[in-house]
Amino acid sequence: MGDTKPNGPLADLYEGRIGTPTTDDEVQGYWIFSLGVILGVLGVVVFALTDPRTTARAVGYALVALSPPTVMIGAIVRFPLKRSATTLGLLGGLLTLAAVAYFFVVFPDGWSRSTGNEVVNALYAAGIVVIGLAGTIVPLITDPVRDDYERMQAETASTAAERDETATELEEARSELDATAADLADAEARAEELGAETEAARAETAALRESKARFELFEDASGKPRWRLRHRNGNVIATSGQGYSSRGKAQQGLHSVRRNALGAGLLRIETPVAEAEAVADDDGPEPEDAAEPDVAVPSDDEEIASKATFELFEDNAGEWRWRLAHDNGNVIGDSGEGYASKSNAKRALGRVREHIAAADYLRVDPAAYELFRDNAGEWRWRLIHENGNILADSGEGYSSRSKARQGVESVRSNVSDAPVKDLDDDTGGEGDGTGSANATFELYEDNAGEYRWRLRHRNGNIIADSGEGYADRSGAKDAIERVRGYGPDADALDVGNAAFEIYEDAADEWRWRLRHRNGNVVADSGEGYASRSGAVDGVTSVKRNAPGAGEETV
């Protein structure tokens, strides 16, 4: 029996015409009762309008015969009675229905006007008797008090079990609370110890933010990784002095310098000139990229001497371009694309001058994550291939660099084993996203009819997307496979306003391009180099000469 307020069109009609129902049984019983009355009326009408011993007359008989059991069942349901009475009443209804069905089999040849048919009569009478027993005898012989007593006993036992379980959980919670209190006391003590360290870290962070130089990781002519510290005016003000066996060790050396340089003292060692020269000879040759020890570092307002000139020119297609030509005649950089007007080309040249000296080197081999800050001040990442294509992006902005890095790590750890779920395919594609994987690629068609993908974590968050649409489903699937292949091992690289990317093109030549944080390429090498070190030297030449280069129209 229902214990909630009935709802639905029949319940609404009942409430509007008769009264507010209290149970679903009340509504259902009334409409079953009404159906029985309607069947009886229809049966009488059909009987009066049809000829004897015809199929139409048989329908009239059937409708009249179904009316009494339907009315009785409606009364049983509406009262309501116990579930056993309702079940017995429905059983009687099935018997009368079977009698009516058999009536159609024997009518008219096997049906006597005076005595009817024994089988039909017996089934119908049995059904009426069963329904009558259900509505009268069952309620009289059942003991509601006994039923209530048994139900109360069951509920009491259940309540006692829940109470015991709650007591056990409460005791466990108290133990956990005591342990948490102890941990909290330890954490407070540790926090006091870390207070001084935190202040020192803040001071170091502030100093780093005020820095006007950047560390560069690069490979020297012998192919060994090195680092150098370059001022934004282009001068190298510190260098690793030696090559490392791997890029990771070069990064460790760089971080060691960053940690220790701020607090390092100054020790003046008075060494005779001859002895100093001997020590220098024992140390071996100075690295090729070492800073000149006797060269003064210019201030921010000074410009280093440039041996190159920016040339503005109009190409054969009527577009304006720029190139950076060295005094020796070599073109060491160009715009990479044409502009509709000379003023647009000048503005692009100005952006290059603004960003080129402080731009980092980003080694894209063969793919890398770029972390950057967009125009809205939010941190984002994108996965770029060495051919310049953006394979994936964060899809949304983060409030801090650390959160963007966490997003990259989430993609790294989940992308390789994430199944593909085709949202436009009922079969679900490679997987339905309910397995052990923590993330799932969702392949779908957007409103423009292009195919896209997104990587959804099992917590519901979208942690990566394609960033662009593809003309067909296979193109989007190929893009997913590329992300699966490159995503787990790609380096994560911080991008300021712009960064140099050094990569190998399809012709196996090494090139560089200067990419703004918005993703646009604002300059490129214009020509290929035979080795990576040649491209690095080209970047170094551009960084040294571009900031102070003059400008002319040719």
Side-chain angles (χ1 to χ4, degrees):
M1 300 176 191
D3 57 0
T4 58
K5 187 178 185 303
N7 53 51
L10 293 179
D12 294 340
L13 183 59
Y14 183 96
E15 184 173 4
R17 298 295 181 179
I18 301 171
T20 303
T22 57
T23 64
D24 287 325
D25 292 335
E26 180 180 347
V27 176
Q28 295 168 1
Y30 173 78
W31 291 114
I32 294 174
F33 177 87
S34 300
L35 176 62
V37 174
I38 293 172
L39 290 175
V41 173
L42 287 177
V44 171
V45 172
V46 173
F47 182 87
L49 297 178
T50 56
D51 297 326
R53 307 187 69 79
T54 62
T55 302
R57 175 61 63 87
V59 172
Y61 280 130
L63 292 174
V64 171
L66 289 175
S67 177
T70 305
V71 169
M72 295 171 68
I73 292 174
I76 292 173
V77 173
R78 188 180 187 279
F79 281 158
L81 300 179
K82 291 186 174 298
R83 183 63 61 190
S84 56
T86 304
T87 303
L88 191 60
L90 293 177
L91 177 60
L94 290 175
L95 289 174
T96 58
L97 183 62
V100 172
Y102 190 67
F103 165 75
F104 277 101
V105 175
V106 301
F107 187 85
D109 296 334
W111 180 259
S112 171
R113 292 186 179 183
S114 58
T115 61
N117 179 276
E118 293 181 359
V119 177
V120 173
N121 294 342
L123 284 174
Y124 189 81
I128 294 297
V129 169
V130 171
I131 296 173
L133 291 174
T136 57
I137 304 301
V138 172
L140 294 176
I141 64 175
T142 55
D143 184 0
V145 175
R146 178 64 181 174
D147 292 343
D148 291 342
Y149 174 74
E150 292 177 353
R151 185 177 67 255
M152 289 175 62
Q153 276 191 322
E155 292 176 355
T156 302
S158 176
T159 302
E162 291 178 358
R163 184 174 62 250
D164 294 341
E165 183 178 354
T166 302
T168 302
E169 293 177 353
L170 182 59
E171 189 63 30
E172 293 176 353
R174 286 174 179 168
S175 301
E176 293 179 359
L177 184 60
D178 293 339
T180 303
D183 292 341
L184 182 60
D186 293 341
E188 290 176 351
R190 179 59 180 162
E192 293 178 359
E193 295 176 1
L194 293 176
E197 297 179 12
T198 302
E199 291 300 325
R202 287 176 180 172
E204 179 180 354
T205 301
L208 290 175
R209 287 177 177 173
E210 295 173 358
S211 175
K212 296 176 181 177
R214 289 183 183 272
F215 284 96
E216 299 174 352
L217 279 173
F218 67 101
E219 289 186 4
D220 60 18
S222 62
K224 289 186 175 182
R226 294 174 178 256
W227 63 260
R228 58 189 166 213
L229 181 62
R230 187 186 295 275
H231 194 274
R232 70 181 183 184
N233 61 22
N235 280 5
V236 176
I237 55 179
T239 179
S240 60
Q242 63 179 3
Y244 293 87
S245 59
S246 67
R247 183 181 179 88
K249 292 189 178 296
Q251 287 180 321
Q252 291 175 3
L254 186 156
H255 291 312
S256 177
V257 172
R258 297 179 76 170
R259 284 195 305 269
N260 297 296
L262 289 178
L266 175 64
L267 176 63
R268 184 179 182 87
I269 302 176
E270 300 293 345
T271 305
V273 174
E275 183 179 347
E277 291 176 352
V279 171
D281 292 339
D282 291 340
D283 288 342
E286 184 180 12
E288 297 178 5
D289 62 324
E292 294 292 339
D294 297 329
V295 176
V297 178
S299 67
D300 293 344
D301 296 330
E302 294 178 323
E303 292 185 350
I304 60 175
S306 175
K307 296 182 179 180
T309 303
F310 282 105
E311 296 179 349
L312 281 167
F313 64 98
E314 189 175 9
D315 63 15
N316 296 332
E319 292 184 320
W320 284 89
R321 298 175 177 266
W322 60 261
R323 60 190 171 219
L324 183 61
H326 196 275
D327 291 349
N328 60 16
N330 291 338
V331 174
I332 57 178
D334 65 30
S335 59
E337 64 178 354
Y339 297 90
S341 64
K342 184 176 181 179
S343 60
N344 287 346
K346 279 192 171 185
R347 280 195 292 270
L349 192 156
R351 288 195 296 271
V352 171
R353 275 191 170 136
E354 177 184 356
H355 301 306
I356 203 163
D360 285 335
Y361 293 95
L362 304 181
R363 177 174 176 174
V364 185
D365 187 18
Y369 293 96
E370 289 184 353
L371 283 85
F372 63 97
R373 202 167 190 175
D374 61 18
N375 294 331
E378 292 186 315
W379 287 92
R380 296 176 177 266
W381 62 260
R382 56 187 168 230
L383 179 62
I384 62 168
H385 192 266
E386 61 186 3
N387 61 14
N389 291 339
I390 297 177
L391 304 179
D393 64 35
S394 58
E396 62 177 7
Y398 297 88
S399 58
S400 64
R401 178 191 281 112
S402 62
K403 290 187 180 297
R405 279 192 173 274
Q406 290 174 7
V408 169
E409 293 305 321
S410 178
V411 172
R412 273 179 173 161
S413 59
N414 293 301
V415 70
S416 60
D417 58 354
V420 178
K421 181 178 182 181
D422 193 334
L423 300 185
D424 299 323
D425 185 357
D426 293 337
T427 62
E430 295 179 14
D432 59 4
T434 59
S436 59
N438 288 325
T440 302
F441 282 103
E442 295 179 348
L443 183 63
Y444 65 99
E445 186 176 5
D446 63 16
N447 295 333
E450 294 184 319
Y451 289 90
R452 295 175 178 267
W453 61 261
R454 58 190 172 223
L455 183 61
R456 187 186 296 276
H457 197 273
R458 69 189 316 163
N459 62 15
N461 293 338
I462 296 175
I463 57 177
D465 64 32
S466 58
E468 62 178 6
Y470 298 88
D472 52 40
R473 182 178 276 104
S474 62
K477 285 187 174 180
D478 291 343
I480 290 175
E481 292 305 317
R482 287 194 293 271
V483 173
R484 274 177 168 170
Y486 297 127
D489 301 321
D491 289 336
L493 312 165
D494 281 342
V495 179
N497 289 326
F500 283 99
E501 297 171 357
I502 298 176
Y503 64 99
E504 193 172 10
D505 63 16
D508 295 330
E509 290 185 321
W510 291 92
R511 295 176 178 267
W512 61 260
R513 57 185 167 232
L514 180 63
R515 187 190 295 274
H516 192 268
R517 67 183 182 188
N518 61 15
N520 293 337
V521 175
V522 296
D524 64 34
S525 58
E527 62 179 6
Y529 297 86
S531 63
R532 182 190 295 272
S533 60
V536 171
D537 291 342
V539 171
T540 303
S541 177
V542 170
K543 287 171 71 73
R544 176 171 293 277
N545 290 288
E551 180 184 323
E552 64 180 29
T553 302
V554 296

